[in-house]
């Protein structure tokens, strides 16, 4: 179990598991934000914050709810569905407490071409 939050702490969450590899997407949104994404089933993320503390941004095909803190603007995770229709959470591992990013395998994903 890992703990995460936005910058100001208004959005707090736990995720079951440990990231070993992350997706580094080159789409316009992910590259501008610097996301390193760890995908988990939605039920593995426990939010400790009222949903009202979050705002949602959708772009392109509107498949993913990119969630961010209304106070500091930090974007710790998003919600969507995988190709098989399962609810998923995409965790921005940069928002996980005490993580050593150098230990994670980065898998490039060409989101720019999609």
């Amino acid at each position: 179990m890992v703990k995460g939050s936005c910058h100001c702490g208004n959005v707090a969450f736990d995720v079951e598991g440990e990231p070993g590899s992350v997706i580094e997407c080159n789409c316009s949104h992910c590259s501008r934000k610097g996301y390193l994404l760890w995908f988990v089933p939605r039920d593995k993320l426990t939010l400790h914050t009222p949903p009202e503390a979050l705002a949602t941004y959708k772009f392109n095909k509107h498949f993913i709810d990119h969630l961010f803190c209304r106070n500091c603007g930090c974007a710790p995770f998003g919600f969507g569905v995988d190709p098989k229709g399962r609810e998923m959470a995409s965790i921005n591992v940069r928002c996980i407490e005490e993580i050593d990013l150098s230990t994670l395998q980065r898998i490039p994903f060409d989101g720019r071409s999609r």
Side-chain angles (χ1 to χ4, degrees), residues 21-89:
S21 61
V22 293
I23 301 296
E24 189 168 24
C25 178
N26 68 355
C27 79
S28 61
H29 189 248
C30 291
S31 60
R32 281 178 174 82
K33 296 275 191 170
Y35 288 140
L36 294 175
L37 299 172
W38 170 37
F39 289 85
V40 299
R42 172 61 184 92
D43 64 357
K44 300 296 182 191
L45 182 140
T46 302
L47 185 59
H48 299 292
T49 302
E52 304 80 49
L54 294 161
T56 302
Y57 175 67
K58 292 185 180 197
F59 75 103
N60 196 6
K61 297 178 183 175
H62 296 256
F63 290 143
I64 300 171
D65 291 335
H66 298 274
L67 300 163
F68 59 96
C69 174
R70 289 183 182 276
N71 186 53
C72 70
C74 191
F77 52 82
F79 296 143
V81 295
D82 71 7
K84 295 182 180 178
R86 297 175 293 206
E87 291 186 11
M88 301 294 290

Side-chain angles (χ1 to χ4, degrees), residues 8-26:
C8 72
N10 281 350
V11 176
F13 60 95
D14 295 330
V15 183
E16 290 181 42
E18 294 283 334
S21 61
V22 293
I23 301 296
E24 189 168 24
C25 178
N26 68 355

